Amino acid sequence: MHGFSDEERDRIREELLAVGREKVLTFGLKKTNVADITDPVGIAKSTFYLFFDSKAELYLEIMRHEVDEFTESLETELDGVEDPREGFERLCWCYKAFVENNPLVQQLFREDDYRMFRDNVPPERLAEIEQEGIGEIVPYIEFFQERSDGLLAERDPVTILGMVGTIELLALHREDYEEYRDDYYEQVQELLIATLARGLTVDPSA
């Protein structure tokens, strides 16, 4: 790649990811430009495009690393759990922690950054990334489906995952809930997760 050794290429790519993450967290995706990322790495702005097609593509790769860390945490949290209700509930709590505590996810919640991200990534590329994320979590749902009766066993695992996504929708409006009462948001999330786990794993013959 334009005179770079494999070792140099890997180093530059990792530095671009690290600096890109730092800059996006500090300034947001919209206000971070390519030069802000390439200058600390010591490469020309034009060289950036040898590694990533766009700033949005860099962000996608950064988020992929974050999702990988999340799925690794699932492996630890769900290790040895056989009970479908307990396992599904734990998965939901892990996802809640991810969307609430990951600063990059929180950054994407900002309207300007989200709009810029969506406008600068081709729909087919977004679909591809979405499928990758789904593909990493679905096996956990399938595992508990095999051990469950009721809706969890009967429904398509991607549809079940869509239900988990309601946790993120609530997180998007956390401030609105907290304006009503300090503990209101947490109480709603707790009830949502408990209701999802119970409703999807209840014995239909009971």
Side-chain angles (χ1 to χ4, degrees), residues 9-98:
R9 185 173 65 250
D10 291 342
R11 175 186 59 80
I12 292 172
R13 182 180 175 83
E14 289 305 311
E15 289 185 8
L16 288 172
L17 289 168
V19 173
R21 186 182 192 279
E22 176 189 344
K23 296 299 182 181
V24 168
L25 285 177
T26 303
F27 303 110
L29 183 63
K30 184 176 182 179
K31 293 182 180 179
T32 299
N33 58 52
V34 171
D36 292 330
I37 300 169
T38 56
D39 286 352
V41 178
I43 62 173
K45 181 179 176 180
S46 58
T47 305
F48 174 88
Y49 297 100
L50 299 177
F51 293 87
F52 300 99
D53 291 338
S54 66
K55 185 175 61 175
E57 279 289 341
L58 170 68
Y59 184 80
L60 280 174
E61 188 62 29
I62 293 170
M63 281 304 301
R64 180 182 282 114
H65 283 240
E66 303 295 312
V67 172
D68 287 344
E69 289 185 6
F70 167 63
T71 53
E72 287 175 9
S73 73
L74 282 183
E75 289 183 19
T76 301
E77 185 65 27
L78 299 178
D79 183 42
V81 179
E82 296 281 338
D83 179 72
R85 183 178 300 184
E86 179 187 356
F88 186 77
E89 192 164 341
R90 283 197 192 185
L91 187 153
C92 288
W93 280 110
C94 285
Y95 187 68
K96 175 181 179 292
F98 176 65

Side-chain angles (χ1 to χ4, degrees), residues 26 28 34 66 83 140 145-146 157 175 191 193:
T26 303
V34 171
E66 303 295 312
D83 179 72
Y140 294 100
Q145 281 183 311
E146 294 172 357
E175 291 183 0
L191 181 59
I193 291 172

Side-chain angles (χ1 to χ4, degrees), residues 30 109-117:
K30 184 176 182 179
F109 282 174
R110 297 181 181 178
E111 183 176 352
D112 287 347
D113 277 358
Y114 182 74
R115 185 174 299 168
M116 179 181 179
F117 176 71

